[in-house]
Amino acid sequence: MDAVTACPHPNPLPQAEEGARRPALLRDLGRQPYEPVWRAMQAFTDARDEATPDELWLVEHEPVFTLGQAGKPEHVLAPGEIPVIHVDRGGQVTYHGPGQIVLYPLLDLRRLKLGVREYVCRIEQAIIDTLGDWNIEAVRREGAPGVYVAGAKIAALGIRVRRGCTFHGLAFNIDMDLSPFLRINPCGYEGLRVTSMVDLGGPSGIEAVKPALVGHVAAQFGLSVESAPPPAF
């Protein structure tokens, strides 16, 4: 049975009341290869200062395996034609591909007065609340960041914090080919089962889920979100 991680303050931040929300920009990048988006995240984080508004980047990636900075290559079992990119986030190996929502919160934790643990808990809670919108019951698992349904992982987290600011983020399986996960030990766990929303009776496309996920993330961090054009790569 899954053990629910004890997370502090699972409810939205006090400043989440509409009149007190902090502005943030939402950029929907569409479908993109992984590396240019990763480099753009790095550049944004390096260039921002105390006055830079927070941003949320939505993207659907071309097929790719990403291996965290301390990731062990032996967890990549048979990548075949899918590229493997070693990146600067935490965690082991995961897969990104069409039909999966990837959300990169580019947030200043110092301005939000949040520590890393609470940040992770709030990201997980936003995913749990999104699944709840479709009456899918999801939980955390002690010692294994992410979100799980009936023992199978439906969303993975991999983050990096630099100078108090976050990049990388979450990958949420909506309606995708899950077979590439059989070519890896997902998140470093041999035999870990993986699932998606469509397999649990959820929607058969990511567009229905995007606004729900963004809304729950915005609530968790007290953000007032305004759409903006995608960044230039």
mmCIF file of all heavy atoms in Angstrom, residues 50 101 163 174 213:
data_model
loop_
_atom_site.group_PDB
_atom_site.id
_atom_site.type_symbol
_atom_site.label_atom_id
_atom_site.label_comp_id
_atom_site.label_asym_id
_atom_site.label_seq_id
_atom_site.Cartn_x
_atom_site.Cartn_y
_atom_site.Cartn_z
ATOM 1 N N GLU A 50 15.227 39.958 -8.868
ATOM 2 C CA GLU A 50 14.156 39.980 -7.860
ATOM 3 C C GLU A 50 12.835 40.496 -8.425
ATOM 4 O O GLU A 50 11.766 40.199 -7.890
ATOM 5 C CB GLU A 50 14.552 40.857 -6.665
ATOM 6 C CG GLU A 50 15.896 40.539 -6.020
ATOM 7 C CD GLU A 50 17.067 41.137 -6.787
ATOM 8 O OE1 GLU A 50 16.973 42.299 -7.233
ATOM 9 O OE2 GLU A 50 18.062 40.422 -6.956
ATOM 10 N N ILE A 101 1.707 15.914 -20.439
ATOM 11 C CA ILE A 101 1.878 17.334 -20.121
ATOM 12 C C ILE A 101 3.149 17.496 -19.296
ATOM 13 O O ILE A 101 3.306 16.861 -18.247
ATOM 14 C CB ILE A 101 0.687 17.888 -19.315
ATOM 15 C CG1 ILE A 101 -0.606 17.862 -20.130
ATOM 16 C CG2 ILE A 101 0.971 19.319 -18.855
ATOM 17 C CD1 ILE A 101 -1.830 18.292 -19.331
ATOM 18 N N ARG A 163 19.904 29.768 -7.026
ATOM 19 C CA ARG A 163 19.726 31.098 -6.435
ATOM 20 C C ARG A 163 18.283 31.320 -5.971
ATOM 21 O O ARG A 163 17.721 32.378 -6.121
ATOM 22 C CB ARG A 163 20.142 32.190 -7.424
ATOM 23 C CG ARG A 163 21.624 32.166 -7.789
ATOM 24 C CD ARG A 163 22.027 33.298 -8.721
ATOM 25 N NE ARG A 163 21.351 33.189 -10.013
ATOM 26 C CZ ARG A 163 20.421 34.030 -10.436
ATOM 27 N NH1 ARG A 163 20.033 35.043 -9.690
ATOM 28 N NH2 ARG A 163 19.872 33.859 -11.629
ATOM 29 N N ILE A 174 -1.037 11.761 -19.638
ATOM 30 C CA ILE A 174 -2.458 11.956 -19.930
ATOM 31 C C ILE A 174 -2.966 10.891 -20.893
ATOM 32 O O ILE A 174 -3.821 10.075 -20.545
ATOM 33 C CB ILE A 174 -2.713 13.369 -20.510
ATOM 34 C CG1 ILE A 174 -2.092 14.450 -19.594
ATOM 35 C CG2 ILE A 174 -4.221 13.598 -20.697
ATOM 36 C CD1 ILE A 174 -2.607 14.465 -18.177
ATOM 37 N N LEU A 213 -4.854 21.769 -14.581
ATOM 38 C CA LEU A 213 -3.552 21.681 -13.920
ATOM 39 C C LEU A 213 -2.995 23.069 -13.627
ATOM 40 O O LEU A 213 -2.532 23.335 -12.503
ATOM 41 C CB LEU A 213 -2.573 20.898 -14.794
ATOM 42 C CG LEU A 213 -1.150 20.776 -14.257
ATOM 43 C CD1 LEU A 213 -1.114 20.028 -12.932
ATOM 44 C CD2 LEU A 213 -0.243 20.083 -15.289
#
